[in-house]
């Protein structure tokens, strides 16, 4: 790894927001998934939660999410499970959903720990997930259409969250725990090795200050032994 590459990875990590997240509940079109994840990366989202659709699109979604490198992805069985996970981390859950209680998206404080809940491309956030959210937000429309594409809506709302957080200095210093920083840096710097570690249950190895493996001999032995035993179930 070049020093320039390592500096860029660390600079990007320093701007990641551990308390700004996205929940995709049933979103299944690969191009929309890719667009949402790209926006997450652009505004510094560390982690995205995906409630996978319970239909034939499930494998397609998993494949699309598995190709994402710069945003950590967590899979869930349904939206309620993903919302519970967000709440356990102290995040307010904002559903991009029109209702009588919905407020314009700019009227919300995104400097608070926040998860943005997005529904399916066709029907939006379902009733169960909408009821479980803390608040509903909407984007005022000036034309004949009643809503934006899910990836466009995500970009508009997350851009507002980014601006609010930038204004109060939340991007000015690293906010990640030591474990979050180490694990994410290793996955970014060594994606193939990270995948082997995940598949065979090997802890991510320590890194030196220059980004190289601290003890490559020991790590290679651990990984070889794990591969010999077979993948984790």
């Amino acid at each position: 790894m070049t020093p320039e590459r390592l500096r860029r990875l660390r600079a990007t990590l320093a701007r990641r927001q551990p308390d700004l997240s996205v929940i995709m509940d049933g979103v299944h079109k690969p191009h929309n998934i890719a667009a949402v994840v790209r926006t997450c990366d652009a505004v510094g989202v560390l982690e995205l939660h995906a409630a996978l659709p319970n239909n034939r699109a499930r494998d397609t979604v998993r494949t699309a999410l598995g190709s994402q490198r710069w945003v950590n992805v967590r899979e869930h069985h349904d939206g309620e499970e993903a919302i519970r996970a967000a709440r356990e981390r102290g995040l307010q859950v904002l559903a991009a959903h029109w209702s009588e209680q919905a407020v314009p998206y700019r009227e919300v404080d995104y400097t608070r720990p926040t998860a943005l809940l997005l529904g399916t491309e066709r029907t939006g956030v379902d009733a169960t997930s909408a009821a479980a959210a803390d608040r509903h937000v909407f984007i005022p429309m000036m034309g004949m259409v009643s809503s934006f594409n899910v990836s466009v809506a995500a970009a508009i709302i997350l851009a507002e969250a980014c601006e609010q957080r930038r204004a109060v200095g939340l991007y000015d210093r690293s906010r990640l725990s030591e474990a979050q920083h180490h694990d994410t840096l290793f996955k970014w710097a060594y994606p193939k090795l990270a995948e082997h570690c995940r598949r065979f249950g090997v802890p991510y190895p320590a890194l030196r200050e220059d980004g190289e493996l601290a003890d490559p001999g020991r790590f290679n032995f651990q990984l070889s032994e794990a591969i010999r035993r077979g993948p984790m179930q």
Side-chain angles (χ1 to χ4, degrees):
M1 180 186 306
T2 66
E4 293 77 13
R5 177 72 168 174
L6 182 61
R7 280 196 294 270
R8 183 175 181 186
L9 293 179
R10 284 179 168 156
T12 301
L13 269 177
R15 294 188 291 269
R16 281 297 191 250
Q17 303 292 294
D19 59 353
L20 178 62
S21 185
V22 168
I23 300 171
M24 292 196 301
D25 186 3
V27 179
H28 65 274
K29 294 182 179 178
H31 65 278
N32 281 333
I33 293 171
V36 171
V37 175
R38 185 180 181 90
T39 297
C40 286
D41 174 40
V43 302
V45 167
L46 176 70
E47 190 169 271
L48 178 146
H49 294 259
L52 305 185
N54 191 24
N55 55 35
R56 290 180 298 175
R58 193 178 185 92
D59 289 340
T60 301
V61 171
R62 183 171 279 121
T63 299
L65 290 170
S67 67
Q68 309 306 324
R69 179 176 176 184
W70 306 115
V71 177
N72 298 335
V73 176
R74 304 283 182 260
E75 295 183 8
H76 299 273
H77 292 295
D78 54 44
E80 289 179 279
E81 179 183 285
I83 291 170
R84 283 196 301 271
R87 286 236 176 80
E88 288 171 359
R89 294 171 52 223
L91 276 61
Q92 64 172 341
V93 179
L94 306 178
H97 176 71
W98 168 252
S99 70
E100 292 184 0
Q101 296 77 37
V103 299
Y105 74 101
R106 284 199 176 100
E107 295 182 9
V108 175
D109 180 6
Y110 297 95
T111 65
R112 292 179 52 194
T114 299
L116 175 63
L117 172 63
L118 305 168
T120 64
E121 294 90 340
R122 186 172 184 179
T123 60
V125 176
D126 69 30
T128 301
S129 295
D134 295 301
R135 300 183 72 180
H136 300 165
V137 298
F138 71 94
I139 303 170
M141 307 294 294
M142 306 302 171
M144 295 293 291
V145 298
S146 60
S147 65
F148 284 103
N149 169 278
V150 63
S151 62
V152 175
I156 292 171
I157 297 171
L158 288 175
E160 173 67 17
C162 178
E163 180 57 24
Q164 288 188 19
R165 286 171 168 252
R166 186 202 60 76
V168 298
L170 292 183
Y171 291 95
D172 294 344
R173 59 180 177 83
S174 178
R175 305 178 61 233
L176 303 186
S177 69
E178 184 177 343
Q180 286 173 322
H181 187 280
H182 169 266
D183 289 354
T184 305
L185 179 60
F186 182 77
K187 285 189 289 187
W188 288 3
Y190 302 97
K192 292 183 180 179
L193 287 181
E195 173 58 25
H196 284 311
C197 288
R198 185 201 63 78
R199 185 180 180 196
F200 295 101
V202 176
Y204 292 161
L207 299 176
R208 299 188 322 219
E209 186 61 29
D210 62 2
E212 299 297 327
L213 301 185
D215 190 346
R218 182 169 182 267
F219 172 69
N220 289 334
F221 175 77
Q222 289 179 322
L223 186 57
S224 297
E225 287 296 296
I227 292 173
R228 183 180 59 80
R229 291 191 299 268
M232 297 283 288
Q233 298 299 317

